[in-house]
Amino acid sequence: MENRINIDPQYEMKASAFMKSAITGIICAGFPIASIIAICIGSRNHKAIVDYVASGGMHTPKIKTSAALCKGAMYGGIGMTIFYTVYFVFWFLVICAAAFSTLPNQN
């Protein structure tokens, strides 16, 4: 009996695109404004990977790695967005406190 594997002719192109997008999302998750973009990149790419596998695409380690990196980009983007929001609000309050502490006493 002959083993026939249904090989997607566009697999390598799709897998490379998924991996590039996943790595871009992971990198963007570490920067203040780009962390919001990382959430979008990660969720869009993860949905594309799920659709690709559901339509009969190959489920290889490269695809699995891309999906894991996409999840990391989503959750990392959410976490870093919260972190940077708290961080900038904290420093805004510190600067305001320092600025208002130098005002003369107005009795």
Side-chain angles (χ1 to χ4, degrees), residues 21 37-49 70 74:
S21 182
I37 297 168
I39 299 167
C40 298
I41 290 172
S43 64
R44 186 177 335 117
N45 196 30
H46 191 266
K47 184 178 182 322
I49 290 171
C70 290
M74 286 190 306

Side-chain angles (χ1 to χ4, degrees), residues 17-88:
F18 291 149
M19 185 63 82
K20 287 176 187 174
S21 182
I23 290 172
T24 303
I26 272 293
I27 291 171
C28 287
F31 298 103
I33 303 300
S35 62
I36 297 168
I37 297 168
I39 299 167
C40 298
I41 290 172
S43 64
R44 186 177 335 117
N45 196 30
H46 191 266
K47 184 178 182 322
I49 290 171
V50 169
D51 290 343
Y52 171 72
V53 172
S55 68
M58 296 171 58
H59 196 58
T60 61
K62 193 170 187 178
I63 298 292
K64 291 178 186 179
T65 303
S66 298
L69 288 174
C70 290
K71 286 272 191 181
M74 286 190 306
Y75 294 133
I78 291 168
M80 293 308 285
T81 300
I82 294 168
F83 171 77
Y84 282 123
T85 302
V86 171
Y87 181 78
F88 288 130

